[in-house]
């Protein structure tokens, strides 16, 4: 295992939720989707009304503003829950108690005694915990009868790929500070990605 780098204080590591940055990323996606639909509508009306039906360029204006903006606005409204979800993103805290999601009115902590390993996905975008058999799921009463992997925390925005590049190293350093030997740099493959890799190996 490679040694993680980064500076962690004696009190632990606290990564804020950065809700504003995540919300801007989601807002950019929503506006981009609306712009794409608007352009697609203009092209569709031009091809269908002017080139195919030969209705003349005037048909472009006959549709009216409502005809153009209706679908993009509807798509934008349907996408708003993604924007609102940005403000529910928790912060991450790693200290002597364990690894925690910190929300405004709730803290979910996985104690070190419940952990077998801590990993990242291959792009280091999601923190994945391996819980021991007999541990309880965070925020629930369910007791596990076997060891399981739990995708615990998403770094940055999973749709907008910009992330703080130093955060994975800081997380790894904090884990090793409070629970030496728990962090593994072997990437965790999500079920879909693992299946794709198995198919690729068989095809090769």
């Amino acid at each position: 295992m490679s040694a993680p780098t980064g500076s962690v204080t004696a009190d632990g590591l606290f990564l804020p939720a950065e809700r504003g940055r995540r919300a801007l990323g989601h807002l950019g996606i929503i506006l981009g989707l609306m712009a794409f639909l608007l352009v697609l509508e203009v092209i569709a009306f031009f091809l269908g009304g002017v080139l195919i039906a030969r209705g003349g360029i005037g048909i472009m204006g006959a549709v009216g503003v409502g005809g153009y903006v209706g679908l993009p606005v509807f798509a934008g409204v349907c996408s708003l829950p993604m924007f609102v979800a940005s403000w529910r993103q928790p912060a991450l805290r790693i200290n002597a108690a364990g690894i925690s999601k910190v929300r405004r009115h709730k803290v979910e902590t996985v104690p070190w005694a419940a952990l077998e390993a801590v990993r990242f996905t291959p792009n280091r975008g999601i923190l994945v915990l391996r819980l021991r058999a007999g541990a309880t799921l965070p925020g629930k009463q369910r007791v596990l009868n076997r060891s399981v992997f739990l995708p615990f925390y998403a770094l940055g925005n999973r749709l907008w790929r910009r992330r703080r590049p130093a955060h994975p190293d800081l997380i790894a350093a904090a884990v090793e500070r409070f629970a030496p030997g728990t962090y593994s740099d072997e990437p965790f493959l999500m079920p879909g990605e693992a299946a794709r890799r198995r198919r690729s190996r068989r095809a090769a």
Side-chain angles (χ1 to χ4, degrees):
M1 183 186 74
S2 59
T5 59
S7 176
V8 180
T9 67
D11 294 331
L13 174 68
F14 183 81
L15 297 181
E18 297 183 307
R19 296 184 180 92
R21 185 172 68 91
R22 293 171 187 265
L24 285 176
H26 283 136
L27 183 61
I29 293 171
I30 294 172
L31 293 178
L33 174 63
M34 294 175 65
F36 172 76
L37 290 175
L38 180 60
V39 171
L40 197 63
E41 281 186 318
V42 171
I43 294 174
F45 282 126
F46 179 77
L47 292 177
V50 178
L51 297 183
I52 298 177
R54 300 186 182 279
I57 197 69
I59 198 172
M60 299 288 293
V63 177
V65 175
Y68 285 110
V69 304
L71 181 59
V73 169
F74 176 76
V77 171
C78 290
S79 302
L80 280 178
M82 179 178 66
F83 175 75
V84 174
S86 303
W87 301 100
R88 301 181 62 186
Q89 179 69 24
L92 180 70
R93 184 172 65 204
I94 302 176
N95 57 17
I99 301 178
S100 305
K101 287 181 184 177
V102 181
R103 306 181 189 275
R104 291 183 178 179
H105 305 293
K106 184 179 181 181
V107 177
E108 296 178 4
T109 301
V110 179
W112 296 117
L115 288 175
E116 284 187 352
V118 175
R119 299 182 183 179
F120 288 105
T121 49
N123 66 356
R124 308 188 88 189
I126 300 177
L127 179 67
V128 181
L129 309 181
R130 180 162 188 169
L131 301 179
R132 300 179 186 275
T136 57
L137 284 172
K140 303 181 184 298
Q141 298 299 320
R142 178 188 168 192
V143 178
L144 301 173
N145 57 11
R146 59 183 177 85
S147 176
V148 299
F149 285 101
L150 174 68
F152 188 70
Y153 191 81
L155 282 75
N157 189 316
R158 282 175 287 182
L159 298 176
W160 189 51
R161 290 297 182 180
R162 288 183 60 188
R163 290 188 289 269
R164 298 289 191 257
H167 282 181
D169 287 336
L170 287 172
I171 291 171
V175 170
E176 283 299 288
R177 180 184 183 96
F178 295 106
T182 303
Y183 172 73
S184 171
D185 58 5
E186 179 183 353
F188 172 78
L189 300 179
M190 292 295 189
E193 186 173 358
R196 285 194 299 270
R197 294 197 177 191
R198 285 196 297 269
R199 287 196 296 268
S200 299
R201 286 197 296 268
R202 286 197 296 266

